[in-house]
Amino acid sequence: MGHHQQPADGASRRRFLAGAGGALLALPLVGAAGPASATRPGRAGPRLPGGLFSLGVASGDPIPGGVVLWTRLAPDPLAGGGMPPADVPVRWEVADDEDFRRVVRAGWATASPGFAHSVHVDVRHLRPDARYFYRFRVGDQVSPVGRTRTAPAPGRGDRLRFLFASCQNWQDGFWPAWAFAPQDDPDLVVHLGDYIYEGGANAAAVRQHNSAEITTLDAYRNRYGLYKGDPALQAIHAACPWVVTWDDHEVENNYAGLIPQVPAEAPGFAARRAAAYQAWWEHQPVRLPPPTGPDLRIYRAVNWGRLARFHVLDTRQYRGDQACGTNDIGPTCGERTAAGRTLLGAEQEAWLGRSLRKSGATWDVLANQIVMTAMPFGGPIFNMDQWDGYADARARFFDQLTAAGTGNPVVITGDIHAAGVGDLVGENSDGTPSTEVRGTELVGTSISSGFPSDLVDVAEQLIGALPHVRWVDARHRGYVRCDVDRDRLLASYQQAQSVLQPDAPVTTGRTWAVEAGVLGPQEA
Ligand code: FE
Ligand code: CA
């Protein structure tokens, strides 16, 4: 570790020191940002290679007066980053205009080798519901300019356009959906997980992973380096703030808590999860303290004034093991519906109850990973990895909605690489879907991850036959654009024609409306 560069501005430095214990001094997470008068640190940093900003910029977790800005200094992102093992001061600027004539906030952050020279700046004292531009600088190297925005103040906010997406397996194709997404001019992108995939390189893939299956911190970092090098992904990150959660492939397919997919992998899995969570934190624009071990609390609420509250869930870290001897699709058994099974863990579940009760928003959006609505496959066959495998946890969630008086719950979901729209329902005691509608579930498809082509027809038939499912489409990759106001949430399924070309056309498939005060979607 090199020397620590503190902000030279006295007020910011005191605030920084006051807000962090001695052990935290090296953290790049800067607290409340100081005024625009911060000056350059006294000592020059080490000599650095060119191409520091190869992974672009990002912002996220907007609040009424602030947003988190992110970058990572990585001149050699596929091989450890390419930085010297020293702290590096990074200048950041936020401006009203794209040419940075009117800089409204600026300061210094520290990029430390312990966190892969990533930078997370929690900018405060911005105006609510306002657009800004931001950039970073190290020496004479300047980052691309990002555009971001703050959330509306409490009690305000009548409009929101957000996109939600998941599942961007590099090896399954390019990302024309992301290339198109800036044209939708979203206020926010919500990513529901499978941002990276952990698998090894496959020579037959559309484009290859950079290594064998990843299990170490270096390998997870290099995998993020590969994914975040994609220009389409960089462009949509630079277009607006993101709210990011994770699914399983950020660590390993279908892991459950500290239980890996394959029992033989149990030794060392806690260390693997710690590495994966740290690399995730290093590469996402999140307002979260950095991880210090195998655990990382990421569930949180994001408010969009009085219009919407996003309850951002983590359905992987705290879940009990998948039921009935499989972490995939299989016949039911008593364990699946056993009382007390947990998907969210006790603490997150209690937090979610409070978060729902405290919400005064018109729309309560559950940023969720796995399908929540009942989804039996032709008989007592279920996907044990979904909420179906944790039936009592789903029933308790519905009780929480009732207790909170949640009027307009909308669950947004990733994971299955197929689009689906339906009523949110639980199940009867015989395992058949209930007819009691609890809300709406919108399942996005994948950005690029494939659905097995030999299963497309049968999956669409079986799922489409369920009485509470309005639509299912396993053929298209893309994302969902949601236009929200006080009366209606309109979900447009944006579909890429192909993932074999990075610039394949993207068009709107079907559009669904959820009216405020009405449970369940209707075709618009
Ligand atoms: Fe996936
Ligand atoms: Ca999985």
Side-chain angles (χ1 to χ4, degrees):
M1 296 281 289
H3 58 272
H4 306 312
Q5 299 256 1
Q6 298 302 331
D9 169 67
S12 328
R13 181 167 190 273
R14 275 193 302 279
R15 218 167 13 241
F16 185 80
L17 291 171
L24 299 178
L25 280 178
L27 300 187
L29 188 73
V30 175
S37 60
T39 53
R40 185 173 172 68
R43 278 188 281 182
R47 291 187 73 83
L48 298 171
L52 292 179
F53 297 103
S54 67
L55 302 182
V57 299
S59 69
D61 285 354
I63 55 177
V67 69
V68 173
L69 309 181
W70 173 92
T71 192
R72 177 186 166 207
L73 309 181
D76 195 1
L78 301 184
M83 291 291 288
D87 285 0
V88 175
V90 179
R91 177 74 170 169
W92 58 267
E93 293 178 326
V94 176
D96 278 330
D97 63 310
E98 198 165 4
D99 300 322
F100 290 82
R101 291 198 185 89
R102 298 188 306 279
V103 173
V104 295
R105 293 280 150 198
W108 292 90
T110 302
S112 292
F115 292 106
H117 291 95
S118 62
V119 176
H120 298 74
V121 182
D122 186 2
V123 182
R124 301 294 177 99
H125 309 298
L126 300 173
R127 298 186 308 280
D129 206 11
R131 294 236 181 216
Y132 293 99
F133 297 89
Y134 64 96
R135 66 185 177 189
F136 300 91
R137 184 162 49 79
V138 174
D140 57 4
Q141 298 188 53
V142 182
S143 76
V145 173
R147 195 173 64 147
T148 191
R149 60 164 300 145
T150 55
R156 308 294 291 270
D158 293 319
R159 275 182 189 286
L160 167 65
R161 168 173 281 188
F162 74 92
L163 316 183
F164 74 88
S166 66
C167 298
Q168 47 196 40
N169 193 331
W170 178 272
Q171 298 202 122
D172 285 355
F174 295 96
W175 297 334
W178 281 147
F180 181 83
Q183 293 180 52
D184 272 335
D185 194 21
D187 296 305
L188 195 68
V189 170
V190 181
H191 200 290
L192 302 174
D194 288 1
Y195 188 98
I196 61 163
Y197 281 70
E198 80 281 17
N202 170 8
V206 179
R207 48 181 182 171
Q208 278 77 49
H209 273 157
N210 56 318
S211 68
E213 181 165 340
I214 52 177
T215 59
T216 65
L217 180 56
D218 280 351
Y220 279 106
R221 285 171 170 168
N222 291 340
R223 186 60 55 88
Y224 279 99
L226 176 71
Y227 278 55
K228 292 189 86 83
D230 185 281
L233 182 62
Q234 289 190 14
I236 183 61
H237 267 301
C240 70
W242 284 40
V243 172
V244 183
T245 181
W246 58 38
D247 196 11
D248 52 343
H249 288 285
E250 281 86 348
V251 181
E252 187 203 35
N253 185 43
N254 292 5
Y255 79 99
L258 284 167
I259 302 166
Q261 180 179 26
V262 179
E265 297 167 340
F269 187 71
R272 180 180 182 180
R273 197 179 86 169
Y277 285 3
Q278 180 172 335
W280 177 89
W281 182 87
E282 288 167 350
H283 290 87
Q284 298 296 5
V286 287
R287 185 182 294 101
L288 299 170
T292 55
D295 307 324
L296 180 60
R297 182 191 148 158
I298 70 164
Y299 59 85
R300 60 201 189 278
V302 175
N303 294 311
W304 203 264
R306 64 178 178 177
L307 187 62
R309 181 176 180 98
F310 293 87
H311 310 266
V312 182
L313 303 185
D314 172 358
T315 59
R316 291 290 168 187
Q317 185 172 188
Y318 312 103
R319 65 161 68 190
D321 199 8
Q322 288 93 349
C324 309
T326 178
N327 58 35
D328 209 314
I329 293 168
T332 190
C333 70
E335 187 185 7
R336 187 183 69 80
T337 53
R341 272 177 66 70
T342 190
L343 183 68
L344 301 177
E347 280 182 35
Q348 180 177 199
E349 193 170 314
W351 163 84
L352 179 56
R354 291 192 301 275
S355 186
L356 290 165
R357 284 198 303 276
K358 283 194 299 194
S359 171
T362 301
W363 301 95
D364 282 284
V365 181
L366 284 297
N368 167 60
Q369 288 80 50
I370 49 173
V371 170
M372 185 186 285
T373 204
M375 212 176 94
F377 292 96
I381 308 289
F382 293 87
N383 186 332
M384 302 301 169
D385 193 58
Q386 297 182 173
W387 282 79
D388 271 340
Y390 302 80
D392 191 54
R394 180 173 58 201
R396 295 195 304 273
F397 170 68
F398 291 162
D399 289 345
Q400 289 181 316
L401 290 179
T402 302
T406 304
N408 298 300
V410 176
V411 177
I412 59 174
T413 300
D415 181 54
I416 59 169
H417 309 174
V421 172
D423 295 336
L424 179 65
V425 304
E427 62 183 70
N428 302 313
S429 54
D430 64 355
T432 56
S434 170
T435 54
E436 186 182 0
V437 182
R438 311 306 299 250
T440 298
E441 184 161 15
L442 305 171
V443 183
T445 182
S446 54
I447 289 292
S448 61
S449 305
F451 194 96
S453 56
D454 53 330
L455 297 179
V456 165
D457 288 330
V458 67
E460 289 186 351
Q461 280 165 22
L462 289 175
I463 299 169
L466 294 169
H468 56 291
V469 173
R470 300 271 189 281
W471 176 59
V472 57
D473 178 322
R475 291 154 209 275
H476 290 93
R477 312 281 76 83
Y479 61 85
V480 184
R481 184 185 72 204
C482 294
D483 287 294
V484 191
D485 64 25
R486 302 268 286 166
D487 301 320
R488 194 165 77 149
L489 184 154
L490 200 63
S492 301
Y493 278 73
Q494 303 289 66
Q495 300 174 329
Q497 201 174 82
S498 163
V499 291
L500 299 178
Q501 296 95 31
D503 56 353
V506 173
T507 54
T508 303
R510 303 272 285 265
T511 297
W512 300 85
V514 187
E515 305 291 338
V518 180
L519 295 175
Q522 299 296 334
E523 185 144 27

